[in-house]
Amino acid sequence: LKAKLLSVLIGQILATIVFVGLSSVVASQLPKLGEAIGNAFFRDDNKAKLSSTVSQFASTSADAVKRSTSNAQPDFGKLLICLLIDAIGTSSELIPFVGEATDVVWAPIAALGLRSLYGSNVVFGLELVEEILPFTDIIPLATICWYIESFTPDGDLAKALGIGSFGPNMNTGNIIDTSGVDELQQNGGRSLKDADPRK
């Protein structure tokens, strides 16, 4: 049993490394893909414009990734929790057919755990679906979210997932917007709309 759990943990770490490698390869190929699409669909006079736009986008994206990773302070405690969530979810695959039944119990627990870690309902929904669907437990969603939040918090994936710079705790420090409460307290319980400017 220890060997199986160790192999699951190693598998999760390797899956994360492969994901990081593949995403960096895909990101490096974006300019070539843009050029190929431009050659296929646009006339010669637009090719120069498209090429400069794609190059500018690629360099801007690379600069944004460099900026976001240069100041990154990864939370390794959160990584350990994510690896644990993924390992428990994947370990259900060790027992055929019975493991899928345990996913019904583990799915909401894992999804709530990720929501409390990231504050994102999108991540909650993805984890719930990933754990309930058969044979998808191998996807290390929690660890992928940790990587995105730690190293590309300003990226499109972070925006789509609602984590990193787009997470609920990044803008105000609160999950609930309390700016209206402060306004009411300053005006004696009246909103600014009701306040008389002559007083």
Side-chain angles (χ1 to χ4, degrees), residues 24-62:
S24 65
V25 167
V26 168
S28 68
Q29 297 300 319
L30 280 177
K32 293 178 185 175
L33 176 65
E35 188 175 323
I37 291 172
N39 289 336
F41 294 107
F42 297 104
R43 296 188 320 249
D44 289 336
D45 56 339
N46 289 334
K47 285 182 184 178
K49 291 179 187 177
L50 179 66
S51 178
S52 67
T53 303
V54 168
S55 298
Q56 182 181 10
F57 172 75
S59 65
T60 304
S61 298

mmCIF file of all heavy atoms in Angstrom, residues 24-62:
data_model
loop_
_atom_site.group_PDB
_atom_site.id
_atom_site.type_symbol
_atom_site.label_atom_id
_atom_site.label_comp_id
_atom_site.label_asym_id
_atom_site.label_seq_id
_atom_site.Cartn_x
_atom_site.Cartn_y
_atom_site.Cartn_z
ATOM 1 N N SER A 24 4.851 25.483 -21.635
ATOM 2 C CA SER A 24 5.936 26.364 -22.077
ATOM 3 C C SER A 24 6.260 26.138 -23.550
ATOM 4 O O SER A 24 6.564 27.083 -24.265
ATOM 5 C CB SER A 24 7.169 26.176 -21.206
ATOM 6 O OG SER A 24 7.685 24.874 -21.357
ATOM 7 N N VAL A 25 6.160 24.901 -24.015
ATOM 8 C CA VAL A 25 6.398 24.621 -25.439
ATOM 9 C C VAL A 25 5.314 25.272 -26.287
ATOM 10 O O VAL A 25 5.593 25.895 -27.314
ATOM 11 C CB VAL A 25 6.470 23.096 -25.694
ATOM 12 C CG1 VAL A 25 6.401 22.780 -27.170
ATOM 13 C CG2 VAL A 25 7.730 22.520 -25.085
ATOM 14 N N VAL A 26 4.065 25.145 -25.862
ATOM 15 C CA VAL A 26 2.967 25.743 -26.612
ATOM 16 C C VAL A 26 3.113 27.261 -26.639
ATOM 17 O O VAL A 26 2.921 27.892 -27.679
ATOM 18 C CB VAL A 26 1.606 25.318 -26.009
ATOM 19 C CG1 VAL A 26 0.462 26.145 -26.564
ATOM 20 C CG2 VAL A 26 1.364 23.842 -26.253
ATOM 21 N N ALA A 27 3.482 27.862 -25.513
ATOM 22 C CA ALA A 27 3.645 29.314 -25.460
ATOM 23 C C ALA A 27 4.763 29.783 -26.378
ATOM 24 O O ALA A 27 4.660 30.841 -26.997
ATOM 25 C CB ALA A 27 3.918 29.763 -24.030
ATOM 26 N N SER A 28 5.826 29.000 -26.499
ATOM 27 C CA SER A 28 6.927 29.406 -27.373
ATOM 28 C C SER A 28 6.572 29.271 -28.846
ATOM 29 O O SER A 28 7.202 29.892 -29.698
ATOM 30 C CB SER A 28 8.181 28.590 -27.061
ATOM 31 O OG SER A 28 7.996 27.238 -27.439
ATOM 32 N N GLN A 29 5.551 28.487 -29.162
ATOM 33 C CA GLN A 29 5.163 28.275 -30.553
ATOM 34 C C GLN A 29 4.062 29.226 -31.023
ATOM 35 O O GLN A 29 3.678 29.190 -32.186
ATOM 36 C CB GLN A 29 4.702 26.824 -30.748
ATOM 37 C CG GLN A 29 5.779 25.799 -30.483
ATOM 38 C CD GLN A 29 6.988 25.969 -31.391
ATOM 39 O OE1 GLN A 29 6.851 26.239 -32.575
ATOM 40 N NE2 GLN A 29 8.168 25.838 -30.823
ATOM 41 N N LEU A 30 3.552 30.078 -30.144
ATOM 42 C CA LEU A 30 2.474 30.996 -30.524
ATOM 43 C C LEU A 30 2.829 31.909 -31.699
ATOM 44 O O LEU A 30 2.013 32.092 -32.599
ATOM 45 C CB LEU A 30 2.039 31.829 -29.320
ATOM 46 C CG LEU A 30 1.094 31.140 -28.343
ATOM 47 C CD1 LEU A 30 0.802 32.053 -27.170
ATOM 48 C CD2 LEU A 30 -0.180 30.717 -29.015
ATOM 49 N N PRO A 31 4.026 32.504 -31.746
ATOM 50 C CA PRO A 31 4.336 33.353 -32.897
ATOM 51 C C PRO A 31 4.316 32.590 -34.222
ATOM 52 O O PRO A 31 3.819 33.099 -35.227
ATOM 53 C CB PRO A 31 5.742 33.890 -32.596
ATOM 54 C CG PRO A 31 5.874 33.792 -31.124
ATOM 55 C CD PRO A 31 5.059 32.600 -30.725
ATOM 56 N N LYS A 32 4.827 31.374 -34.227
ATOM 57 C CA LYS A 32 4.833 30.567 -35.456
ATOM 58 C C LYS A 32 3.417 30.208 -35.874
ATOM 59 O O LYS A 32 3.093 30.213 -37.058
ATOM 60 C CB LYS A 32 5.668 29.305 -35.256
ATOM 61 C CG LYS A 32 7.140 29.586 -35.084
ATOM 62 C CD LYS A 32 7.913 28.319 -34.849
ATOM 63 C CE LYS A 32 9.380 28.626 -34.563
ATOM 64 N NZ LYS A 32 10.132 27.431 -34.224
ATOM 65 N N LEU A 33 2.558 29.908 -34.911
ATOM 66 C CA LEU A 33 1.171 29.576 -35.212
ATOM 67 C C LEU A 33 0.460 30.787 -35.802
ATOM 68 O O LEU A 33 -0.269 30.676 -36.785
ATOM 69 C CB LEU A 33 0.452 29.098 -33.946
ATOM 70 C CG LEU A 33 -1.030 28.794 -34.097
ATOM 71 C CD1 LEU A 33 -1.227 27.607 -35.035
ATOM 72 C CD2 LEU A 33 -1.643 28.513 -32.742
ATOM 73 N N GLY A 34 0.675 31.948 -35.207
ATOM 74 C CA GLY A 34 0.072 33.168 -35.731
ATOM 75 C C GLY A 34 0.538 33.477 -37.145
ATOM 76 O O GLY A 34 -0.242 33.900 -37.994
ATOM 77 N N GLU A 35 1.810 33.251 -37.405
ATOM 78 C CA GLU A 35 2.338 33.479 -38.748
ATOM 79 C C GLU A 35 1.732 32.499 -39.752
ATOM 80 O O GLU A 35 1.372 32.879 -40.862
ATOM 81 C CB GLU A 35 3.855 33.349 -38.724
ATOM 82 C CG GLU A 35 4.518 33.759 -40.029
ATOM 83 C CD GLU A 35 6.028 33.714 -39.909
ATOM 84 O OE1 GLU A 35 6.561 34.060 -38.841
ATOM 85 O OE2 GLU A 35 6.659 33.329 -40.901
ATOM 86 N N ALA A 36 1.583 31.253 -39.356
ATOM 87 C CA ALA A 36 0.996 30.248 -40.248
ATOM 88 C C ALA A 36 -0.454 30.576 -40.565
ATOM 89 O O ALA A 36 -0.892 30.466 -41.716
ATOM 90 C CB ALA A 36 1.100 28.863 -39.613
ATOM 91 N N ILE A 37 -1.202 31.003 -39.576
ATOM 92 C CA ILE A 37 -2.596 31.384 -39.812
ATOM 93 C C ILE A 37 -2.655 32.615 -40.704
ATOM 94 O O ILE A 37 -3.481 32.709 -41.609
ATOM 95 C CB ILE A 37 -3.322 31.630 -38.467
ATOM 96 C CG1 ILE A 37 -3.490 30.306 -37.729
ATOM 97 C CG2 ILE A 37 -4.678 32.293 -38.689
ATOM 98 C CD1 ILE A 37 -4.008 30.450 -36.319
ATOM 99 N N GLY A 38 -1.748 33.546 -40.454
ATOM 100 C CA GLY A 38 -1.702 34.742 -41.278
ATOM 101 C C GLY A 38 -1.388 34.433 -42.727
ATOM 102 O O GLY A 38 -1.992 35.001 -43.639
ATOM 103 N N ASN A 39 -0.450 33.528 -42.973
ATOM 104 C CA ASN A 39 -0.112 33.146 -44.339
ATOM 105 C C ASN A 39 -1.272 32.450 -45.029
ATOM 106 O O ASN A 39 -1.475 32.592 -46.231
ATOM 107 C CB ASN A 39 1.118 32.234 -44.355
ATOM 108 C CG ASN A 39 2.380 32.980 -44.006
ATOM 109 O OD1 ASN A 39 2.457 34.194 -44.172
ATOM 110 N ND2 ASN A 39 3.370 32.263 -43.495
ATOM 111 N N ALA A 40 -2.037 31.675 -44.277
ATOM 112 C CA ALA A 40 -3.127 30.911 -44.868
ATOM 113 C C ALA A 40 -4.353 31.764 -45.174
ATOM 114 O O ALA A 40 -5.041 31.530 -46.169
ATOM 115 C CB ALA A 40 -3.523 29.770 -43.940
ATOM 116 N N PHE A 41 -4.628 32.775 -44.352
ATOM 117 C CA PHE A 41 -5.898 33.476 -44.477
ATOM 118 C C PHE A 41 -5.815 34.938 -44.906
ATOM 119 O O PHE A 41 -6.835 35.511 -45.282
ATOM 120 C CB PHE A 41 -6.663 33.411 -43.148
ATOM 121 C CG PHE A 41 -7.086 32.023 -42.787
ATOM 122 C CD1 PHE A 41 -6.447 31.346 -41.766
ATOM 123 C CD2 PHE A 41 -8.101 31.386 -43.470
ATOM 124 C CE1 PHE A 41 -6.827 30.065 -41.421
ATOM 125 C CE2 PHE A 41 -8.491 30.108 -43.144
ATOM 126 C CZ PHE A 41 -7.850 29.439 -42.112
ATOM 127 N N PHE A 42 -4.644 35.544 -44.854
ATOM 128 C CA PHE A 42 -4.562 36.962 -45.140
ATOM 129 C C PHE A 42 -3.710 37.229 -46.372
ATOM 130 O O PHE A 42 -2.832 36.459 -46.730
ATOM 131 C CB PHE A 42 -3.976 37.722 -43.930
ATOM 132 C CG PHE A 42 -4.849 37.626 -42.711
ATOM 133 C CD1 PHE A 42 -4.500 36.780 -41.677
ATOM 134 C CD2 PHE A 42 -6.011 38.354 -42.618
ATOM 135 C CE1 PHE A 42 -5.304 36.681 -40.554
ATOM 136 C CE2 PHE A 42 -6.819 38.261 -41.505
ATOM 137 C CZ PHE A 42 -6.463 37.417 -40.470
ATOM 138 N N ARG A 43 -3.991 38.368 -47.004
ATOM 139 C CA ARG A 43 -3.243 38.756 -48.191
ATOM 140 C C ARG A 43 -1.842 39.226 -47.808
ATOM 141 O O ARG A 43 -1.538 39.444 -46.645
ATOM 142 C CB ARG A 43 -3.982 39.886 -48.909
ATOM 143 C CG ARG A 43 -5.341 39.481 -49.429
ATOM 144 C CD ARG A 43 -5.936 40.582 -50.297
ATOM 145 N NE ARG A 43 -5.696 41.906 -49.758
ATOM 146 C CZ ARG A 43 -6.620 42.695 -49.263
ATOM 147 N NH1 ARG A 43 -7.869 42.292 -49.215
ATOM 148 N NH2 ARG A 43 -6.320 43.887 -48.822
ATOM 149 N N ASP A 44 -1.003 39.414 -48.823
ATOM 150 C CA ASP A 44 0.385 39.809 -48.592
ATOM 151 C C ASP A 44 0.522 41.156 -47.892
ATOM 152 O O ASP A 44 1.407 41.334 -47.069
ATOM 153 C CB ASP A 44 1.155 39.853 -49.918
ATOM 154 C CG ASP A 44 1.397 38.469 -50.482
ATOM 155 O OD1 ASP A 44 1.394 37.510 -49.680
ATOM 156 O OD2 ASP A 44 1.558 38.341 -51.700
ATOM 157 N N ASP A 45 -0.345 42.119 -48.203
ATOM 158 C CA ASP A 45 -0.199 43.437 -47.591
ATOM 159 C C ASP A 45 -0.548 43.427 -46.096
ATOM 160 O O ASP A 45 -0.093 44.267 -45.335
ATOM 161 C CB ASP A 45 -1.050 44.483 -48.324
ATOM 162 C CG ASP A 45 -2.522 44.103 -48.395
ATOM 163 O OD1 ASP A 45 -2.840 42.905 -48.248
ATOM 164 O OD2 ASP A 45 -3.354 45.011 -48.610
ATOM 165 N N ASN A 46 -1.354 42.466 -45.690
ATOM 166 C CA ASN A 46 -1.696 42.368 -44.269
ATOM 167 C C ASN A 46 -0.721 41.490 -43.489
ATOM 168 O O ASN A 46 -0.745 41.479 -42.265
ATOM 169 C CB ASN A 46 -3.110 41.808 -44.095
ATOM 170 C CG ASN A 46 -4.167 42.792 -44.525
ATOM 171 O OD1 ASN A 46 -3.950 43.994 -44.501
ATOM 172 N ND2 ASN A 46 -5.313 42.272 -44.928
ATOM 173 N N LYS A 47 0.126 40.747 -44.183
ATOM 174 C CA LYS A 47 1.043 39.828 -43.502
ATOM 175 C C LYS A 47 2.027 40.571 -42.606
ATOM 176 O O LYS A 47 2.333 40.127 -41.507
ATOM 177 C CB LYS A 47 1.806 38.973 -44.513
ATOM 178 C CG LYS A 47 0.953 37.883 -45.125
ATOM 179 C CD LYS A 47 1.761 37.031 -46.067
ATOM 180 C CE LYS A 47 0.858 36.012 -46.737
ATOM 181 N NZ LYS A 47 1.591 35.185 -47.687
ATOM 182 N N ALA A 48 2.538 41.708 -43.073
ATOM 183 C CA ALA A 48 3.498 42.469 -42.268
ATOM 184 C C ALA A 48 2.834 42.982 -40.990
ATOM 185 O O ALA A 48 3.411 42.909 -39.904
ATOM 186 C CB ALA A 48 4.064 43.633 -43.077
ATOM 187 N N LYS A 49 1.612 43.488 -41.131
ATOM 188 C CA LYS A 49 0.885 43.967 -39.957
ATOM 189 C C LYS A 49 0.627 42.822 -38.980
ATOM 190 O O LYS A 49 0.813 42.969 -37.777
ATOM 191 C CB LYS A 49 -0.451 44.588 -40.367
ATOM 192 C CG LYS A 49 -0.341 45.881 -41.112
ATOM 193 C CD LYS A 49 -1.723 46.377 -41.480
ATOM 194 C CE LYS A 49 -1.666 47.585 -42.383
ATOM 195 N NZ LYS A 49 -2.999 48.032 -42.790
ATOM 196 N N LEU A 50 0.182 41.697 -39.499
ATOM 197 C CA LEU A 50 -0.121 40.550 -38.647
ATOM 198 C C LEU A 50 1.141 40.029 -37.967
ATOM 199 O O LEU A 50 1.133 39.727 -36.776
ATOM 200 C CB LEU A 50 -0.765 39.426 -39.466
ATOM 201 C CG LEU A 50 -1.108 38.171 -38.686
ATOM 202 C CD1 LEU A 50 -2.195 38.468 -37.670
ATOM 203 C CD2 LEU A 50 -1.532 37.062 -39.609
ATOM 204 N N SER A 51 2.242 39.960 -38.707
ATOM 205 C CA SER A 51 3.491 39.465 -38.143
ATOM 206 C C SER A 51 3.968 40.357 -36.998
ATOM 207 O O SER A 51 4.387 39.870 -35.952
ATOM 208 C CB SER A 51 4.553 39.379 -39.227
ATOM 209 O OG SER A 51 5.775 38.958 -38.696
ATOM 210 N N SER A 52 3.879 41.679 -37.196
ATOM 211 C CA SER A 52 4.308 42.583 -36.128
ATOM 212 C C SER A 52 3.372 42.492 -34.921
ATOM 213 O O SER A 52 3.817 42.552 -33.777
ATOM 214 C CB SER A 52 4.384 44.019 -36.634
ATOM 215 O OG SER A 52 3.103 44.516 -36.950
ATOM 216 N N THR A 53 2.079 42.314 -35.168
ATOM 217 C CA THR A 53 1.120 42.175 -34.066
ATOM 218 C C THR A 53 1.385 40.907 -33.272
ATOM 219 O O THR A 53 1.392 40.928 -32.040
ATOM 220 C CB THR A 53 -0.322 42.162 -34.608
ATOM 221 O OG1 THR A 53 -0.545 43.354 -35.345
ATOM 222 C CG2 THR A 53 -1.330 42.052 -33.481
ATOM 223 N N VAL A 54 1.616 39.803 -33.973
ATOM 224 C CA VAL A 54 1.884 38.528 -33.300
ATOM 225 C C VAL A 54 3.187 38.614 -32.513
ATOM 226 O O VAL A 54 3.260 38.166 -31.366
ATOM 227 C CB VAL A 54 1.914 37.364 -34.320
ATOM 228 C CG1 VAL A 54 2.475 36.110 -33.690
ATOM 229 C CG2 VAL A 54 0.534 37.106 -34.860
ATOM 230 N N SER A 55 4.224 39.204 -33.109
ATOM 231 C CA SER A 55 5.502 39.344 -32.407
ATOM 232 C C SER A 55 5.354 40.229 -31.176
ATOM 233 O O SER A 55 5.903 39.933 -30.113
ATOM 234 C CB SER A 55 6.555 39.930 -33.338
ATOM 235 O OG SER A 55 6.777 39.069 -34.418
ATOM 236 N N GLN A 56 4.595 41.317 -31.316
ATOM 237 C CA GLN A 56 4.378 42.209 -30.188
ATOM 238 C C GLN A 56 3.597 41.495 -29.084
ATOM 239 O O GLN A 56 3.927 41.606 -27.906
ATOM 240 C CB GLN A 56 3.620 43.446 -30.638
ATOM 241 C CG GLN A 56 3.390 44.457 -29.541
ATOM 242 C CD GLN A 56 2.599 45.663 -30.042
ATOM 243 O OE1 GLN A 56 2.077 45.661 -31.152
ATOM 244 N NE2 GLN A 56 2.520 46.688 -29.222
ATOM 245 N N PHE A 57 2.576 40.733 -29.468
ATOM 246 C CA PHE A 57 1.792 39.983 -28.482
ATOM 247 C C PHE A 57 2.659 38.957 -27.763
ATOM 248 O O PHE A 57 2.601 38.832 -26.547
ATOM 249 C CB PHE A 57 0.613 39.282 -29.164
ATOM 250 C CG PHE A 57 -0.120 38.335 -28.262
ATOM 251 C CD1 PHE A 57 -0.966 38.812 -27.283
ATOM 252 C CD2 PHE A 57 0.060 36.968 -28.379
ATOM 253 C CE1 PHE A 57 -1.638 37.946 -26.448
ATOM 254 C CE2 PHE A 57 -0.603 36.096 -27.540
ATOM 255 C CZ PHE A 57 -1.457 36.586 -26.575
ATOM 256 N N ALA A 58 3.488 38.237 -28.523
ATOM 257 C CA ALA A 58 4.334 37.206 -27.919
ATOM 258 C C ALA A 58 5.350 37.824 -26.965
ATOM 259 O O ALA A 58 5.578 37.307 -25.871
ATOM 260 C CB ALA A 58 5.047 36.404 -28.999
ATOM 261 N N SER A 59 5.945 38.957 -27.365
ATOM 262 C CA SER A 59 6.933 39.578 -26.485
ATOM 263 C C SER A 59 6.256 40.171 -25.246
ATOM 264 O O SER A 59 6.784 40.104 -24.150
ATOM 265 C CB SER A 59 7.729 40.648 -27.220
ATOM 266 O OG SER A 59 6.891 41.722 -27.596
ATOM 267 N N THR A 60 5.060 40.748 -25.416
ATOM 268 C CA THR A 60 4.316 41.282 -24.276
ATOM 269 C C THR A 60 3.930 40.168 -23.318
ATOM 270 O O THR A 60 4.054 40.306 -22.106
ATOM 271 C CB THR A 60 3.048 42.025 -24.752
ATOM 272 O OG1 THR A 60 3.434 43.025 -25.675
ATOM 273 C CG2 THR A 60 2.311 42.647 -23.585
ATOM 274 N N SER A 61 3.468 39.042 -23.873
ATOM 275 C CA SER A 61 3.094 37.900 -23.033
ATOM 276 C C SER A 61 4.306 37.356 -22.298
ATOM 277 O O SER A 61 4.231 37.040 -21.109
ATOM 278 C CB SER A 61 2.472 36.786 -23.877
ATOM 279 O OG SER A 61 1.308 37.243 -24.494
ATOM 280 N N ALA A 62 5.434 37.246 -22.998
ATOM 281 C CA ALA A 62 6.649 36.735 -22.359
ATOM 282 C C ALA A 62 7.118 37.685 -21.262
ATOM 283 O O ALA A 62 7.535 37.246 -20.194
ATOM 284 C CB ALA A 62 7.748 36.539 -23.400
#
